[in-house]
């Protein structure tokens, strides 16, 4: 085995992005369905989405540098997409992107 000469190998843990899915809601009294993949319960509005995203930062492996992917279905109004983006900004995420479901 080669001997180390003062160099230390650093292995970074891959950062798993957070995927925020947005759909038109089928629930009474709600116009949007929100889901953060891998986390529950689902937020019922954009304020709860911001709170959940902030709480996720305290989970091991997640931070404000974790990529957030806003993934709306085709039938989702643009203002819901912007509201989800703003929720991620309120939760202090620095890497917010858009994707598809």
């Amino acid at each position: 085995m080669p001997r180390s000469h003062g160099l230390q190998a650093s292995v970074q843990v891959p950062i798993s992005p957070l995927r925020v899915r947005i759909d038109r809601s089928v629930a009474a009294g709600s116009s949007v369905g929100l889901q953060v993949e891998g986390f529950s319960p689902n937020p019922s509005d954009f304020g709860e989405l911001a709170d959940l995203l902030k709480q996720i930062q305290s989970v091991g492996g997640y931070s404000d540098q974790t990529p957030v992917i806003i993934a709306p279905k085709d039938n989702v109004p643009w203002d819901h997409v912007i509201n989800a983006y703003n929720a991620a900004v309120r939760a202090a995420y620095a890497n917010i992107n858009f994707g598809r479901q």
Side-chain angles (χ1 to χ4, degrees):
M1 297 282 296
R3 292 187 179 185
S4 174
H5 296 286
L7 300 176
Q8 292 184 357
S10 84
V11 177
Q12 288 188 331
V13 176
I15 298 174
S16 298
L18 293 170
R19 183 172 289 271
V20 177
R21 295 186 180 275
I22 310 170
D23 196 0
R24 286 189 180 251
S25 179
V26 294
S30 179
S31 64
V32 64
L34 299 168
Q35 176 193 24
V36 179
E37 263 183 15
F39 292 89
S40 62
N42 292 336
S44 62
D45 59 34
F46 295 104
E48 285 185 14
L49 175 60
D51 292 343
L52 177 58
L53 289 172
K54 189 64 176 174
Q55 289 173 5
I56 290 171
Q57 291 179 16
S58 65
V59 175
Y62 295 97
S63 73
D64 61 345
Q65 298 301 309
T66 301
V68 176
I69 301 171
I70 309 295
K73 281 201 170 178
D74 290 337
N75 65 347
V76 172
W78 184 243
D79 60 330
H80 290 334
V81 177
I82 297 302
N83 286 333
Y85 178 90
N86 289 338
V89 169
R90 279 194 308 274
Y93 283 87
N95 187 358
I96 308 167
N97 302 285
F98 297 97
R100 299 193 57 108
Q101 283 199 32

